[in-house]
Amino acid sequence: MLDILIRNARLPDRRGSFDIAVKGEKIATIARSIEGAADIEIDAGDQLVAPPFVDPHFHMDATLSLGLPRLNQSGTLLEGIALWGELKPLLTPEAVIERALRYCDLAVSQGLLAIRSHVDVSTAPLVGVEALLEVRKKVAPYIDLQLVAFPQDGLYRSEKAEENLLRALDMGVDVVGGIPHFERTMADGARSVTRLAEIAAERGLMLDLHCDESDDPLSRHIETLAYETTRLGLADRVVGSHVTAMHSYDNYYATKLVPLIAESGMTIVPNPLINITLQGRSDTYPRRRGLTRVQELRAAGVNVAFGQDCTMDPWYPLGSADMLDVAHMGVHAVPMTSREAMRWAFESVTLNGAKAMRLPDPTLREGGPASMVLLQARDPIEAVRLRATRLAVIRDGEILSRTPPRLAQLNLAGRPATLDPAGYAPAAEDASD
Protein backbone atom coordinates (compact mmCIF):
# COMPACT_ATOMS: atom_id res chain seq x y z
CA MET A 1 0.00 0.00 0.00
CA LEU A 2 1.38 3.37 -1.04
CA ASP A 3 1.14 6.42 1.19
CA ILE A 4 0.47 8.97 -1.55
CA LEU A 5 -0.22 8.50 -5.25
CA ILE A 6 -0.26 11.57 -7.47
CA ARG A 7 -1.80 10.92 -10.87
CA ASN A 8 -1.61 12.84 -14.14
CA ALA A 9 1.27 15.13 -13.16
CA ARG A 10 3.58 17.09 -15.38
CA LEU A 11 7.23 17.35 -14.33
CA PRO A 12 9.65 20.25 -14.94
CA ASP A 13 12.20 18.15 -16.83
CA ARG A 14 9.96 15.76 -18.79
CA ARG A 15 7.19 16.04 -21.37
CA GLY A 16 3.87 14.32 -20.96
CA SER A 17 1.93 13.07 -17.97
CA PHE A 18 3.25 10.89 -15.11
CA ASP A 19 2.13 9.25 -11.90
CA ILE A 20 4.23 9.70 -8.76
CA ALA A 21 4.12 7.08 -6.00
CA VAL A 22 5.26 7.99 -2.48
CA LYS A 23 6.19 5.48 0.20
CA GLY A 24 7.34 6.85 3.52
CA GLU A 25 9.63 9.84 2.99
CA LYS A 26 10.76 8.82 -0.51
CA ILE A 27 9.47 8.76 -4.07
CA ALA A 28 9.02 5.07 -4.81
CA THR A 29 8.12 5.26 -8.51
CA ILE A 30 7.64 7.75 -11.32
CA ALA A 31 5.95 6.20 -14.33
CA ARG A 32 3.43 6.92 -17.07
CA SER A 33 0.87 4.85 -15.17
CA ILE A 34 1.08 3.22 -11.75
CA GLU A 35 -1.30 0.48 -10.68
CA GLY A 36 -2.31 0.13 -7.07
CA ALA A 37 -3.94 1.97 -4.20
CA ALA A 38 -2.72 4.57 -1.76
CA ASP A 39 -3.89 6.06 1.50
CA ILE A 40 -4.10 9.43 -0.26
CA GLU A 41 -4.64 9.83 -3.99
CA ILE A 42 -4.33 13.22 -5.70
CA ASP A 43 -5.32 13.91 -9.29
CA ALA A 44 -2.89 16.56 -10.50
CA GLY A 45 -5.12 17.21 -13.50
CA ASP A 46 -2.22 17.45 -15.95
CA GLN A 47 -0.60 20.22 -13.91
CA LEU A 48 2.95 20.73 -12.71
CA VAL A 49 4.57 18.96 -9.77
CA ALA A 50 7.96 20.49 -8.98
CA PRO A 51 10.61 20.55 -6.25
CA PRO A 52 9.89 22.89 -3.33
CA PHE A 53 10.94 26.52 -3.56
CA VAL A 54 14.16 27.75 -1.97
CA ASP A 55 15.06 31.24 -0.75
CA PRO A 56 18.85 31.52 -0.36
CA HIS A 57 18.77 35.12 0.94
CA PHE A 58 16.39 36.50 3.56
CA HIS A 59 16.31 38.56 6.78
CA MET A 60 13.96 36.76 9.15
CA ASP A 61 14.93 38.77 12.24
CA ALA A 62 13.31 41.83 10.61
CA THR A 63 10.43 40.25 8.72
CA LEU A 64 6.86 41.50 9.30
CA SER A 65 8.17 44.45 11.33
CA LEU A 66 6.86 47.06 8.88
CA GLY A 67 6.04 50.32 10.70
CA LEU A 68 8.15 49.55 13.78
CA PRO A 69 9.09 52.04 15.10
CA ARG A 70 8.27 54.05 11.96
CA LEU A 71 8.10 53.72 8.18
CA ASN A 72 10.96 54.18 5.72
CA GLN A 73 9.85 57.44 4.11
CA SER A 74 12.62 57.72 1.48
CA GLY A 75 12.53 54.04 0.54
CA THR A 76 16.33 53.94 0.44
CA LEU A 77 18.73 51.26 1.64
CA LEU A 78 20.46 53.71 3.98
CA GLU A 79 17.25 54.84 5.68
CA GLY A 80 16.29 51.20 6.05
CA ILE A 81 19.59 50.50 7.81
CA ALA A 82 19.09 53.55 10.05
CA LEU A 83 15.53 52.44 10.84
CA TRP A 84 16.74 48.94 11.70
CA GLY A 85 19.20 50.59 14.10
CA GLU A 86 16.25 52.26 15.83
CA LEU A 87 14.29 49.01 16.00
CA LYS A 88 17.06 46.74 17.34
CA PRO A 89 17.02 48.08 20.93
CA LEU A 90 13.27 47.43 21.04
CA LEU A 91 13.47 43.78 19.94
CA THR A 92 12.62 40.94 22.27
CA PRO A 93 13.20 37.24 21.56
CA GLU A 94 9.47 36.61 21.95
CA ALA A 95 8.51 39.22 19.34
CA VAL A 96 11.13 38.02 16.84
CA ILE A 97 10.04 34.40 17.31
CA GLU A 98 6.35 35.27 16.87
CA ARG A 99 6.93 37.19 13.63
CA ALA A 100 9.33 34.58 12.26
CA LEU A 101 6.92 31.72 12.91
CA ARG A 102 4.09 33.63 11.22
CA TYR A 103 6.36 34.14 8.24
CA CYS A 104 7.26 30.42 8.18
CA ASP A 105 3.55 29.55 8.14
CA LEU A 106 3.19 31.76 5.06
CA ALA A 107 6.30 30.23 3.49
CA VAL A 108 4.92 26.70 3.83
CA SER A 109 1.66 27.73 2.17
CA GLN A 110 3.75 29.02 -0.76
CA GLY A 111 5.78 25.81 -1.05
CA LEU A 112 8.90 27.56 0.28
CA LEU A 113 10.61 24.86 2.33
CA ALA A 114 14.25 26.04 2.52
CA ILE A 115 15.37 29.50 3.66
CA ARG A 116 18.76 31.03 4.41
CA SER A 117 18.30 33.95 6.80
CA HIS A 118 20.91 36.52 7.75
CA VAL A 119 20.68 37.58 11.39
CA ASP A 120 22.29 40.76 12.69
CA VAL A 121 25.19 40.22 15.14
CA SER A 122 26.58 43.76 15.10
CA THR A 123 25.65 44.50 18.69
CA ALA A 124 25.00 42.55 21.87
CA PRO A 125 22.80 41.13 23.24
CA LEU A 126 22.28 38.73 20.34
CA VAL A 127 18.50 38.83 20.52
CA GLY A 128 17.98 37.83 16.89
CA VAL A 129 20.39 34.91 17.12
CA GLU A 130 18.76 33.61 20.29
CA ALA A 131 15.30 33.92 18.73
CA LEU A 132 16.07 32.40 15.33
CA LEU A 133 17.96 29.46 16.81
CA GLU A 134 14.69 28.65 18.62
CA VAL A 135 12.72 29.16 15.41
CA ARG A 136 15.11 26.89 13.51
CA LYS A 137 14.43 24.14 16.04
CA LYS A 138 10.66 24.63 15.88
CA VAL A 139 10.40 24.60 12.08
CA ALA A 140 12.97 21.84 11.46
CA PRO A 141 10.27 19.25 10.62
CA TYR A 142 9.09 21.31 7.66
CA ILE A 143 11.62 24.03 6.72
CA ASP A 144 15.37 23.83 6.23
CA LEU A 145 16.40 27.08 7.93
CA GLN A 146 20.04 28.14 7.68
CA LEU A 147 21.26 31.10 9.71
CA VAL A 148 24.02 33.53 8.72
CA ALA A 149 25.95 35.50 11.36
CA PHE A 150 25.67 38.93 9.76
CA PRO A 151 27.58 41.93 11.18
CA GLN A 152 25.18 44.31 9.47
CA ASP A 153 26.96 47.48 10.59
CA GLY A 154 30.33 46.19 9.35
CA LEU A 155 32.87 43.79 10.84
CA TYR A 156 35.29 46.63 11.61
CA ARG A 157 32.87 49.55 11.65
CA SER A 158 30.93 48.15 14.59
CA GLU A 159 32.75 47.69 17.89
CA LYS A 160 32.95 44.06 19.00
CA ALA A 161 31.21 42.85 15.80
CA GLU A 162 33.83 40.14 15.24
CA GLU A 163 33.53 39.01 18.85
CA ASN A 164 29.74 38.82 18.46
CA LEU A 165 30.03 36.99 15.14
CA LEU A 166 32.29 34.34 16.64
CA ARG A 167 29.95 33.95 19.61
CA ALA A 168 26.99 33.48 17.26
CA LEU A 169 28.89 30.76 15.41
CA ASP A 170 29.68 29.10 18.74
CA MET A 171 25.95 29.20 19.55
CA GLY A 172 25.22 27.16 16.41
CA VAL A 173 24.74 29.64 13.57
CA ASP A 174 25.52 27.89 10.27
CA VAL A 175 27.15 30.45 7.97
CA VAL A 176 29.68 33.31 8.20
CA GLY A 177 28.32 36.61 6.88
CA GLY A 178 29.55 40.14 6.22
CA ILE A 179 29.03 43.43 4.38
CA PRO A 180 32.38 44.75 3.10
CA HIS A 181 30.98 47.74 1.19
CA PHE A 182 29.56 49.12 4.45
CA GLU A 183 32.96 49.38 6.14
CA ARG A 184 34.44 52.87 6.55
CA THR A 185 36.95 52.47 3.74
CA MET A 186 37.46 50.25 0.70
CA ALA A 187 40.62 48.96 2.40
CA ASP A 188 38.68 47.94 5.51
CA GLY A 189 36.10 46.29 3.26
CA ALA A 190 38.76 44.18 1.52
CA ARG A 191 40.33 43.35 4.89
CA SER A 192 36.95 42.18 6.19
CA VAL A 193 36.48 39.85 3.21
CA THR A 194 39.84 38.21 3.92
CA ARG A 195 39.15 37.86 7.65
CA LEU A 196 35.66 36.44 7.16
CA ALA A 197 36.84 33.98 4.51
CA GLU A 198 39.56 32.79 6.87
CA ILE A 199 37.05 32.31 9.69
CA ALA A 200 34.89 30.19 7.37
CA ALA A 201 37.91 28.16 6.26
CA GLU A 202 39.15 27.61 9.82
CA ARG A 203 35.74 26.46 11.04
CA GLY A 204 34.74 24.48 7.95
CA LEU A 205 31.69 26.69 7.47
CA MET A 206 29.91 28.30 4.54
CA LEU A 207 30.43 32.00 3.73
CA ASP A 208 27.75 34.38 2.44
CA LEU A 209 28.61 38.07 2.05
CA HIS A 210 26.43 40.99 1.12
CA CYS A 211 28.79 42.22 -1.56
CA ASP A 212 28.75 45.56 -3.40
CA GLU A 213 25.07 46.24 -2.74
CA SER A 214 25.64 49.66 -4.18
CA ASP A 215 25.41 51.72 -7.37
CA ASP A 216 29.08 52.67 -6.97
CA PRO A 217 31.14 51.30 -9.90
CA LEU A 218 34.24 51.46 -7.68
CA SER A 219 32.79 49.05 -5.11
CA ARG A 220 34.64 45.90 -6.16
CA HIS A 221 34.74 43.61 -3.13
CA ILE A 222 33.36 40.71 -5.19
CA GLU A 223 36.79 40.54 -6.84
CA THR A 224 38.41 40.07 -3.42
CA LEU A 225 35.80 37.48 -2.47
CA ALA A 226 36.48 35.52 -5.68
CA TYR A 227 40.22 35.64 -4.94
CA GLU A 228 39.85 34.50 -1.33
CA THR A 229 37.44 31.76 -2.35
CA THR A 230 40.02 30.41 -4.78
CA ARG A 231 42.99 30.93 -2.42
CA LEU A 232 41.31 29.07 0.44
CA GLY A 233 39.62 26.43 -1.72
CA LEU A 234 36.16 27.32 -0.44
CA ALA A 235 34.47 26.85 -3.84
CA ASP A 236 30.72 26.20 -3.55
CA ARG A 237 30.74 27.00 0.17
CA VAL A 238 30.68 30.69 -0.82
CA VAL A 239 27.86 33.00 -1.90
CA GLY A 240 28.19 36.57 -3.09
CA SER A 241 24.82 38.21 -2.46
CA HIS A 242 23.35 41.21 -4.28
CA VAL A 243 26.51 42.26 -6.22
CA THR A 244 24.49 45.12 -7.68
CA ALA A 245 27.47 47.40 -8.37
CA MET A 246 28.32 45.05 -11.23
CA HIS A 247 25.55 46.74 -13.25
CA SER A 248 27.80 49.83 -13.37
CA TYR A 249 31.20 48.22 -13.96
CA ASP A 250 32.68 49.03 -17.33
CA ASN A 251 32.50 46.13 -19.75
CA TYR A 252 36.25 45.62 -19.93
CA TYR A 253 36.51 45.11 -16.16
CA ALA A 254 33.45 42.85 -16.18
CA THR A 255 35.08 40.60 -18.80
CA LYS A 256 37.96 40.11 -16.35
CA LEU A 257 35.77 39.71 -13.25
CA VAL A 258 33.16 37.21 -14.44
CA PRO A 259 35.73 34.48 -15.27
CA LEU A 260 37.32 34.99 -11.82
CA ILE A 261 33.92 34.41 -10.20
CA ALA A 262 33.38 31.31 -12.36
CA GLU A 263 36.85 29.99 -11.54
CA SER A 264 36.19 30.32 -7.80
CA GLY A 265 33.11 28.07 -7.89
CA MET A 266 30.99 30.44 -5.80
CA THR A 267 27.28 31.17 -6.23
CA ILE A 268 25.86 34.62 -6.94
CA VAL A 269 22.48 35.50 -5.39
CA PRO A 270 20.71 38.56 -6.83
CA ASN A 271 17.47 39.68 -5.16
CA PRO A 272 15.28 41.09 -7.95
CA LEU A 273 12.44 42.52 -5.86
CA ILE A 274 14.74 44.45 -3.55
CA ASN A 275 17.56 45.28 -5.96
CA ILE A 276 15.32 47.06 -8.44
CA THR A 277 13.56 48.86 -5.57
CA LEU A 278 16.56 50.09 -3.57
CA GLN A 279 19.15 50.62 -6.30
CA GLY A 280 19.21 53.52 -8.73
CA ARG A 281 17.55 55.80 -6.17
CA SER A 282 20.00 58.62 -6.88
CA ASP A 283 19.52 58.35 -10.65
CA THR A 284 17.28 60.64 -12.66
CA TYR A 285 17.27 59.35 -16.26
CA PRO A 286 18.51 57.06 -17.62
CA ARG A 287 17.89 55.04 -14.46
CA ARG A 288 19.78 51.83 -13.74
CA ARG A 289 17.79 48.64 -13.24
CA GLY A 290 19.79 47.70 -10.14
CA LEU A 291 20.40 44.02 -10.93
CA THR A 292 23.76 42.37 -11.43
CA ARG A 293 24.86 40.82 -14.75
CA VAL A 294 22.74 37.70 -14.53
CA GLN A 295 23.04 36.60 -18.14
CA GLU A 296 26.82 37.04 -18.31
CA LEU A 297 27.28 35.08 -15.08
CA ARG A 298 25.03 32.29 -16.34
CA ALA A 299 26.91 32.14 -19.64
CA ALA A 300 30.16 31.69 -17.72
CA GLY A 301 28.74 28.72 -15.82
CA VAL A 302 28.23 30.46 -12.48
CA ASN A 303 25.42 29.13 -10.31
CA VAL A 304 22.96 32.04 -10.01
CA ALA A 305 20.03 31.73 -7.62
CA PHE A 306 17.41 34.41 -7.00
CA GLY A 307 16.63 35.38 -3.40
CA GLN A 308 13.75 37.29 -1.84
CA ASP A 309 15.69 39.31 0.79
CA CYS A 310 12.79 41.05 2.59
CA THR A 311 9.09 40.92 3.35
CA MET A 312 7.35 43.85 5.06
CA ASP A 313 10.33 45.24 6.96
CA PRO A 314 12.38 48.48 7.12
CA TRP A 315 13.63 47.97 3.56
CA TYR A 316 10.63 46.61 1.66
CA PRO A 317 6.94 47.23 2.37
CA LEU A 318 5.73 44.41 0.11
CA GLY A 319 6.48 40.69 -0.23
CA SER A 320 4.57 37.46 0.39
CA ALA A 321 7.07 34.58 0.68
CA ASP A 322 6.37 33.88 -2.99
CA MET A 323 9.49 32.80 -4.86
CA LEU A 324 7.53 32.75 -8.13
CA ASP A 325 7.01 36.48 -7.59
CA VAL A 326 10.82 36.77 -7.32
CA ALA A 327 11.35 34.77 -10.52
CA HIS A 328 8.63 36.77 -12.32
CA MET A 329 10.33 40.06 -11.40
CA GLY A 330 13.71 38.68 -12.45
CA VAL A 331 12.38 37.83 -15.91
CA HIS A 332 11.24 41.42 -16.34
CA ALA A 333 14.15 43.23 -14.73
CA VAL A 334 17.13 41.38 -16.23
CA PRO A 335 15.34 41.20 -18.81
CA MET A 336 15.21 37.62 -20.11
CA THR A 337 12.22 36.44 -22.09
CA SER A 338 13.60 33.60 -24.18
CA ARG A 339 11.88 30.34 -23.35
CA GLU A 340 15.15 28.87 -22.10
CA ALA A 341 15.73 31.84 -19.80
CA MET A 342 12.20 31.75 -18.40
CA ARG A 343 12.57 28.06 -17.63
CA TRP A 344 15.88 28.92 -15.96
CA ALA A 345 14.11 31.56 -13.83
CA PHE A 346 12.02 28.74 -12.36
CA GLU A 347 15.16 26.72 -11.66
CA SER A 348 16.75 29.76 -10.03
CA VAL A 349 14.22 29.57 -7.19
CA THR A 350 14.25 25.78 -6.88
CA LEU A 351 17.32 23.76 -7.93
CA ASN A 352 19.83 26.63 -7.98
CA GLY A 353 18.80 27.88 -4.56
CA ALA A 354 19.27 24.41 -3.12
CA LYS A 355 22.76 24.31 -4.63
CA ALA A 356 23.56 27.73 -3.15
CA MET A 357 22.60 26.43 0.30
CA ARG A 358 24.44 23.12 -0.33
CA LEU A 359 21.27 21.14 0.25
CA PRO A 360 20.68 17.70 -1.28
CA ASP A 361 19.55 17.66 -4.91
CA PRO A 362 15.75 18.24 -4.77
CA THR A 363 15.08 16.95 -8.32
CA LEU A 364 12.01 14.72 -8.37
CA ARG A 365 13.34 11.21 -8.97
CA GLU A 366 12.82 7.63 -7.86
CA GLY A 367 14.51 7.14 -4.50
CA GLY A 368 14.66 10.89 -3.93
CA PRO A 369 12.91 12.81 -1.17
CA ALA A 370 9.12 12.97 -1.38
CA SER A 371 9.11 16.76 -1.15
CA MET A 372 7.23 18.60 -3.88
CA VAL A 373 4.73 21.27 -4.78
CA LEU A 374 1.65 20.83 -6.99
CA LEU A 375 1.11 24.05 -8.94
CA GLN A 376 -1.89 25.37 -10.86
CA ALA A 377 0.20 25.57 -14.02
CA ARG A 378 1.17 23.15 -16.75
CA ASP A 379 4.90 23.87 -16.94
CA PRO A 380 7.60 26.06 -15.34
CA ILE A 381 7.12 29.02 -17.68
CA GLU A 382 3.41 29.12 -17.00
CA ALA A 383 4.11 28.85 -13.27
CA VAL A 384 6.32 31.93 -13.44
CA ARG A 385 3.90 33.81 -15.71
CA LEU A 386 0.89 33.20 -13.44
CA ARG A 387 2.73 33.03 -10.10
CA ALA A 388 0.70 29.88 -9.83
CA THR A 389 -1.42 28.80 -6.89
CA ARG A 390 0.19 26.09 -4.76
CA LEU A 391 -2.47 23.40 -4.76
CA ALA A 392 -0.54 21.03 -2.48
CA VAL A 393 2.76 21.22 -0.59
CA ILE A 394 4.41 17.95 0.46
CA ARG A 395 7.51 17.50 2.63
CA ASP A 396 9.06 14.04 3.16
CA GLY A 397 5.81 12.32 2.30
CA GLU A 398 3.59 14.52 4.50
CA ILE A 399 1.05 16.95 3.07
CA LEU A 400 1.69 20.29 4.78
CA SER A 401 -0.69 22.57 2.90
CA ARG A 402 -3.61 22.44 0.47
CA THR A 403 -5.09 25.43 -1.40
CA PRO A 404 -8.17 25.37 -3.63
CA PRO A 405 -7.52 26.18 -7.28
CA ARG A 406 -8.05 29.73 -8.42
CA LEU A 407 -11.14 29.69 -10.64
CA ALA A 408 -13.17 32.60 -11.93
CA GLN A 409 -16.94 32.23 -12.23
CA LEU A 410 -18.07 33.95 -15.43
CA ASN A 411 -21.48 35.26 -16.38
CA LEU A 412 -21.02 35.83 -20.11
CA ALA A 413 -23.54 34.78 -22.74
CA GLY A 414 -22.23 31.92 -24.83
CA ARG A 415 -18.94 31.65 -22.94
CA PRO A 416 -17.70 29.07 -20.39
CA ALA A 417 -19.09 29.33 -16.88
CA THR A 418 -15.66 28.83 -15.28
CA LEU A 419 -12.19 30.11 -16.21
CA ASP A 420 -8.99 28.45 -15.02
CA PRO A 421 -6.04 30.86 -15.47
CA ALA A 422 -3.80 27.88 -16.16
CA GLY A 423 -6.02 26.66 -18.98
CA TYR A 424 -7.03 29.64 -21.07
CA ALA A 425 -3.79 29.84 -23.07
CA PRO A 426 -1.55 27.26 -24.81
CA ALA A 427 0.89 25.57 -22.47
CA ALA A 428 4.28 27.21 -22.67
CA GLU A 429 6.05 23.90 -23.20
CA ASP A 430 3.99 23.40 -26.36
CA ALA A 431 5.10 26.77 -27.78
CA SER A 432 7.91 26.80 -30.28
CA ASP A 433 11.40 27.54 -28.96
Side-chain angles (χ1 to χ4, degrees):
M1 186 78 163
L2 298 170
D3 295 313
I4 301 174
L5 180 56
I6 302 174
R7 296 197 182 276
N8 306 311
R10 294 196 182 206
L11 299 173
D13 55 350
R14 310 188 200 188
R15 287 181 176 268
S17 182
F18 291 84
D19 292 351
I20 304 170
V22 172
K23 184 71 175 175
E25 298 183 356
K26 301 292 184 180
I27 295 175
T29 310
I30 298 177
R32 293 288 183 182
S33 180
I34 296 174
E35 299 295 329
D39 291 334
I40 300 172
E41 188 166 316
I42 299 172
D43 183 1
D46 206 32
Q47 302 200 85
L48 181 66
V49 175
F53 296 104
V54 179
D55 183 0
H57 189 104
F58 194 65
H59 292 265
M60 197 174 286
D61 51 352
T63 196
L64 305 183
S65 66
L66 183 68
L68 300 175
R70 60 182 177 84
L71 292 170
N72 184 335
Q73 296 298 330
S74 69
T76 62
L77 173 63
L78 291 180
E79 185 176 352
I81 291 173
L83 179 53
W84 174 243
E86 295 172 24
L87 177 58
K88 276 196 294 184
L90 308 178
L91 294 176
T92 65
E94 294 77 17
V96 174
I97 289 169
E98 190 271 336
R99 286 195 295 266
L101 288 176
R102 279 196 287 126
Y103 180 81
C104 289
D105 293 343
L106 178 62
V108 167
S109 74
Q110 299 281 33
L112 172 53
L113 302 186
I115 302 169
R116 173 178 286 183
S117 175
H118 297 252
V119 53
D120 192 356
V121 299
S122 296
T123 55
L126 300 178
V127 173
V129 172
E130 176 187 338
L132 291 188
L133 285 172
E134 180 65 22
V135 170
R136 186 179 68 183
K137 184 165 53 176
K138 287 180 179 292
V139 303
Y142 50 90
I143 290 178
D144 288 309
L145 176 59
Q146 289 182 358
L147 301 178
V148 184
F150 178 42
Q152 184 154 345
D153 297 332
L155 185 70
Y156 297 128
R157 186 171 183 163
S158 180
E159 186 180 2
K160 295 189 177 180
E162 181 174 338
E163 177 184 322
N164 292 335
L165 179 142
L166 294 172
R167 187 154 66 89
L169 297 176
D170 290 340
M171 291 168 68
V173 170
D174 309 279
V175 185
V176 179
I179 186 167
H181 57 277
F182 204 60
E183 301 291 352
R184 287 189 174 90
T185 66
M186 290 292 183
D188 274 357
R191 189 161 62 96
S192 77
V193 173
T194 297
R195 176 62 184 138
L196 292 164
E198 289 175 346
I199 291 171
E202 289 163 6
R203 291 181 172 240
L205 296 175
M206 294 177 283
L207 176 68
D208 189 333
L209 301 187
H210 286 60
C211 218
D212 307 315
E213 188 184 1
S214 166
D215 294 332
D216 181 2
L218 298 181
S219 185
R220 297 181 172 186
H221 297 297
I222 189 65
E223 179 182 88
T224 306
L225 181 58
Y227 167 76
E228 294 295 349
T229 300
T230 300
R231 178 178 74 89
L232 297 168
L234 298 176
D236 65 351
R237 285 160 55 184
V238 175
V239 168
S241 292
H242 293 291
V243 201
T244 58
M246 195 184 290
H247 64 49
S248 291
Y249 296 163
D250 68 77
N251 288 335
Y252 182 82
Y253 175 63
T255 61
K256 169 205 170 184
L257 176 64
V258 170
L260 292 178
I261 294 172
E263 176 188 41
S264 75
M266 74 165 71
T267 288
I268 298 295
V269 174
N271 299 282
L273 296 173
I274 311 305
N275 293 156
I276 68 166
T277 302
L278 295 180
Q279 306 312 131
R281 285 277 181 165
S282 62
D283 294 352
T284 53
Y285 293 95
R287 175 169 284 172
R288 288 168 285 188
R289 290 178 181 268
L291 273 177
T292 194
R293 298 182 181 228
V294 171
Q295 297 291 59
E296 291 87 342
L297 290 163
R298 287 188 60 218
V302 176
N303 183 51
V304 179
F306 285 157
Q308 182 173 203
D309 200 12
C310 304
T311 290
M312 301 186 71
D313 67 9
W315 295 274
Y316 189 59
L318 303 171
S320 58
D322 187 349
M323 295 308 294
L324 284 176
D325 196 22
V326 174
H328 186 269
M329 188 61 72
V331 166
H332 288 81
V334 170
M336 48 180 189
T337 53
S338 72
R339 309 209 75 74
E340 180 277 331
M342 289 190 287
R343 282 191 291 267
W344 174 87
F346 186 87
E347 293 179 1
S348 79
V349 295
T350 51
L351 306 182
N352 296 6
K355 186 176 180 181
M357 292 176 62
R358 302 186 88 209
L359 298 173
D361 179 6
T363 303
L364 301 183
R365 63 195 186 280
E366 292 183 356
S371 298
M372 63 199 82
V373 181
L374 171 58
L375 295 156
Q376 191 179 353
R378 293 166 294 179
D379 53 66
I381 296 175
E382 190 166 77
V384 171
R385 179 173 67 84
L386 298 174
R387 286 158 287 182
T389 298
R390 285 67 163 171
L391 302 174
V393 179
I394 299 171
R395 165 72 182 251
D396 293 332
E398 181 181 356
I399 299 175
L400 302 181
S401 176
R402 300 289 294 267
T403 303
R406 176 188 165 200
L407 299 172
Q409 304 299 318
L410 299 181
N411 184 22
L412 303 174
R415 301 304 302 155
T418 302
L419 186 144
D420 177 352
Y424 78 92
E429 77 165 19
D430 296 329
S432 172
D433 287 337

